[in-house]
Amino acid sequence: MLQKIKHKTKIMIKNIPAQWLSKIELYYPELPNFPLLYIHKNIDGQRMYGFPVAVVSVSTRTNNMLSVTFQVLSNVNLSKNIKLRKIFRKELRERIGISDKISRDDIDHICEKKPKYINFFRTLWDSVESTYGKYIPYGKFYEELYSIVRFVAAFQPKTGRQSEMRMLYNFMTIFGERIEVSEETGWGFCDFYLLPTYSDLKDKDFNDFPKFKNLFSAMEKVYQISFVSNIELKTDTSVNIKCQTNTFPTNTETFSKNYLERWVSEGSITTEDKFYIERLVDAFNRFPWRAAYFISSIFIAFQKPYETWKIEFFIDFYNNARNGISPKVIACFLQQSFKKTNAIPIDIWVKSFYKHALNIQNNKKFFNEFYNIGKLERIIWLASQANKNNIRQFLNMLWCCRYGTKGNTHLRGANPLACYECKLRTDCIGFESIQNAIIYVTNQTNLDFSVLDEEVLFVCITNNSIPKKIYKRTHNSFKLIDEFSGYLLANNSTPYNDQNVTVNTFLESIQPPYNTEIFNVLENISD
């Protein structure tokens, strides 16, 4: 029987960078009573679960490092049970990301295979450090089974993080067991739900979790009916991972009518099973694909336990996963729950970064270029998000990973103007790949591109000799890829007109040299 939460204690975590404090998220604003830092362990048959509810004190140590004391609620008395207190504290350190934090020194090891990237990432790290401190969080951010729910919810959410949190909450309220929080703690209003642990899942021990037990029973039948094709994997031929021959439809009504109702009529599932699968689809914002991703993520754990995955198997799986499986979802929880440092989800930010800034052309090569690529992803993700949000320290870099035309139709990529305004240019492999390319510079606004030499890769349209727009040759035509970078150039002009030059020569010709401190540039323009 699951115990109520009635114990309250304080746990101090030392040496947290001051910059992290605003990132320690105990609740989501739109779900104010739903704790996010979820802890659940089964220790020698005794369940321990709970969550921090507040930061009650902060003391400053040296070098902007903090000691942060959390008010913690739990079902066991952590003040009296030292063993469980240590385990709970360890889990809390994992959720914060302090247990295996990333430092500047990690860059050297990450780039050990290809030292040519080291200076680029060291320069990028300077901006990361000025924003996030001397370390980046890394660790077991989520309990394993909880994380599968969390990252399925993160698959193509309609309204971004808002949808993710709603789906997570929906799933927990529908299939988790509600745990009463005693009023005596002063936090009786907290809305806390418990799922089985990953160990419970592997043992199929759901005695304490009747809701999840019913869901699992229904999913097991659907998995056996629907996941009937095999994924071809070369790294471990003993593993037989199943995928769907055809994906579920995206419409819930069609899915229910053409699949669930048919399976009921055939006797493959019961009406109760149908109810639980429909509730699963509902929990994930009425999108059957997410339900399929959750089902496959659960049952792959029985075919190849996630804690056993090595880099070679991960790459093989990521490149060959098929219908009904999301390799990105699985990569997310491998990285952030199982602490697989060589697992990495390839999203738009990672792909644009490795393609444009690092001049790496595909996933397979990217996977093999670095050690601990899961840690590298954290650097890329934080830099990309800071860049996307126009954080001051990142405004003068990574223009190549931003959209460059009206309507957000093309990423700028490595191009003469985007690279000109980037402080990473000196050490950037992306820029190195274009610096000797030929660019045609002209004041003509109605240029006939067909008359250009075949060797021309870029065209720069200037306005009174000020570079404004960049076109790039794609197959046999030129496409506008950057009409925004030129906004920052009001007094910077080039002497070239109607001429072919190398990109490097073109950039060196622009005078006065670009001031990489973006806010100074804007102030000069306003003056």
Side-chain angles (χ1 to χ4, degrees):
M1 181 177 178
L2 298 175
Q3 302 167 310
K4 71 166 62 175
I5 287 180
K6 59 181 181 180
H7 299 284
K8 183 168 62 173
T9 190
K10 295 177 182 177
I11 293 180
M12 177 187 289
I13 307 295
K14 297 180 179 179
N15 296 318
I16 298 177
Q19 293 90 335
W20 290 19
L21 198 57
S22 62
K23 296 179 67 64
I24 298 175
E25 192 175 32
L26 302 183
Y27 309 93
Y28 182 66
E30 294 185 16
L31 298 168
N33 301 329
F34 178 57
L36 294 183
L37 296 190
Y38 170 103
I39 293 173
H40 181 195
K41 299 286 288 184
N42 195 337
I43 312 298
D44 300 326
Q46 180 178 11
R47 293 195 184 278
M48 176 188 69
Y49 45 85
F51 49 93
V53 290
V55 171
V56 293
S57 70
V58 176
S59 59
T60 304
R61 300 169 68 87
T62 58
N63 298 322
N64 288 326
M65 304 298 277
L66 306 177
S67 289
V68 180
T69 301
F70 295 88
Q71 184 76 73
V72 167
L73 303 186
S74 60
N75 67 311
V76 296
N77 191 335
L78 300 177
S79 298
K80 293 183 177 180
N81 192 320
I82 302 302
K83 176 184 176 182
L84 293 184
R85 180 184 177 88
K86 287 181 178 179
I87 294 173
F88 196 103
R89 182 176 181 275
K90 180 178 182 296
E91 290 297 305
L92 183 55
R93 285 173 54 84
E94 293 280 7
R95 302 298 181 272
I96 295 169
I98 199 70
S99 61
D100 197 20
K101 58 188 182 297
I102 304 168
S103 72
R104 185 188 185 94
D105 292 339
D106 284 299
I107 290 173
D108 290 356
H109 178 62
I110 287 171
C111 299
E112 196 171 301
K113 288 183 183 179
K114 296 292 177 68
K116 66 180 181 179
Y117 297 112
I118 288 177
N119 289 335
F120 174 84
F121 280 107
R122 284 176 177 170
T123 304
L124 178 61
W125 182 269
D126 291 338
S127 294
V128 171
E129 185 173 314
S130 68
T131 306
Y132 299 105
K134 292 186 177 296
Y135 303 98
I136 289 177
Y138 192 83
K140 184 181 172 183
F141 295 131
Y142 308 96
E143 189 277 330
E144 295 94 338
L145 181 55
Y146 180 91
S147 77
I148 297 177
V149 181
R150 172 70 183 85
F151 287 111
V152 170
F155 176 78
Q156 295 183 1
K158 276 189 176 181
T159 58
R161 196 155 189 274
Q162 181 188 58
S163 290
E164 294 177 26
M165 292 297 102
R166 285 177 180 173
M167 284 186 270
L168 173 64
Y169 180 73
N170 286 345
F171 187 98
M172 297 299 286
T173 59
I174 295 170
F175 299 114
E177 300 300 321
R178 191 173 195 281
I179 305 298
E180 180 184 351
V181 180
S182 173
E183 292 292 343
E184 296 177 1
T185 64
W187 298 86
F189 51 82
C190 286
D191 213 9
F192 184 67
Y193 300 84
L194 204 65
L195 295 175
T197 65
Y198 178 68
S199 296
D200 294 329
L201 173 67
K202 291 195 299 179
D203 294 338
K204 297 187 180 181
D205 181 5
F206 307 127
N207 291 332
D208 291 331
F209 304 93
K211 293 180 181 178
F212 192 88
K213 182 177 183 179
N214 289 332
L215 172 65
F216 183 88
S217 176
M219 291 195 303
E220 193 167 32
K221 295 175 186 177
V222 169
Y223 185 74
Q224 291 169 353
I225 299 167
S226 181
F227 288 76
V228 294
S229 297
N230 295 322
I231 297 175
E232 293 187 10
L233 299 173
K234 298 178 181 179
T235 52
D236 190 343
T237 56
S238 67
V239 176
N240 185 21
I241 292 183
K242 300 288 188 178
C243 64
Q244 294 178 316
T245 303
N246 297 301
T247 57
F248 287 155
T250 57
N251 180 274
T252 54
E253 289 77 13
T254 302
F255 170 64
S256 182
K257 181 177 180 180
N258 294 353
Y259 286 76
L260 297 181
E261 290 181 12
R262 174 167 58 85
W263 291 338
V264 170
S265 67
E266 293 171 349
S268 301
I269 66 173
T270 67
T271 55
E272 184 180 25
D273 295 327
K274 175 177 179 290
F275 169 79
Y276 278 101
I277 296 300
E278 286 177 331
R279 293 295 281 144
L280 179 65
V281 173
D282 285 344
F284 288 125
N285 203 19
R286 299 174 299 282
F287 191 33
W289 278 21
R290 293 194 191 99
Y293 294 158
F294 183 75
I295 292 169
S296 61
S297 295
I298 291 297
F299 288 97
I300 287 173
F302 295 98
Q303 299 158 357
K304 180 75 171 179
Y306 293 118
E307 66 273 21
T308 68
W309 286 37
K310 305 296 184 184
I311 178 62
E312 296 80 13
F313 183 84
F314 168 74
I315 294 174
D316 191 9
F317 171 82
Y318 202 99
N319 291 327
N320 291 287
R322 295 292 181 265
N323 296 340
I325 297 173
S326 172
K328 179 182 172 183
V329 166
I330 291 176
C332 282
F333 63 70
L334 282 172
Q335 177 202 30
Q336 298 188 39
S337 299
F338 291 86
K339 292 179 69 171
K340 295 295 182 180
T341 59
N342 283 315
I344 180 172
I346 305 297
D347 59 12
I348 185 173
W349 305 108
V350 172
K351 189 170 185 177
S352 63
F353 190 99
Y354 78 60
K355 183 176 181 180
H356 300 303
L358 303 181
N359 194 36
I360 297 173
Q361 297 309 309
N362 55 62
N363 289 353
K364 185 175 181 180
K365 186 177 180 183
F366 178 56
F367 285 141
N368 287 289
E369 288 285 88
F370 304 96
Y371 289 112
N372 288 347
I373 200 168
K375 288 191 171 184
L376 177 63
E377 187 272 343
R378 291 287 84 192
I379 301 173
I380 294 173
W381 190 85
L382 288 176
S384 297
Q385 294 303 304
N387 184 254
K388 181 179 90 168
N389 292 325
N390 294 328
I391 290 179
R392 182 179 185 273
Q393 291 87 342
F394 292 83
L395 262 178
N396 56 350
M397 66 174 69
L398 298 176
W399 296 103
C400 59
C401 299
R402 289 172 173 254
Y403 287 103
T405 60
K406 295 180 178 68
N408 292 344
T409 54
H410 296 286
L411 291 175
R412 301 179 203 201
N415 79 69
L417 289 190
C419 294
Y420 177 64
E421 297 170 8
C422 179
K423 75 175 186 180
L424 300 173
R425 171 164 43 112
T426 302
D427 301 305
C428 180
I429 308 302
F431 174 70
E432 183 182 287
S433 71
I434 68 165
Q435 65 178 344
N436 294 318
I438 300 301
I439 179 171
Y440 181 75
V441 186
T442 181
N443 269 309
Q444 300 179 53
T445 56
N446 296 314
L447 177 67
D448 180 2
F449 290 97
S450 66
V451 303
L452 297 178
D453 296 337
E454 290 185 1
E455 63 180 350
V456 174
L457 180 62
F458 296 103
V459 171
C460 177
I461 305 296
T462 62
N463 183 0
N464 294 323
S465 299
I466 300 173
K468 288 299 178 184
K469 295 183 179 181
I470 294 291
Y471 291 79
K472 185 178 181 180
R473 185 188 294 275
T474 303
H475 303 297
N476 295 319
S477 63
F478 281 86
K479 289 187 177 180
L480 178 66
I481 60 169
D482 194 347
E483 58 183 333
F484 295 149
S485 295
Y487 285 173
L488 300 180
L489 304 180
N491 303 306
N492 309 77
S493 62
T494 176
Y496 293 111
N497 184 34
D498 295 332
Q499 290 174 269
N500 289 346
V501 294
T502 66
V503 169
N504 216 26
T505 300
F506 169 63
L507 298 192
E508 289 178 355
S509 77
I510 301 174
Q511 296 295 326
Y514 182 69
N515 185 344
T516 56
E517 183 54 61
I518 187 70
F519 287 95
N520 288 347
V521 175
L522 295 177
E523 288 168 5
N524 291 337
I525 292 174
S526 64
D527 290 343

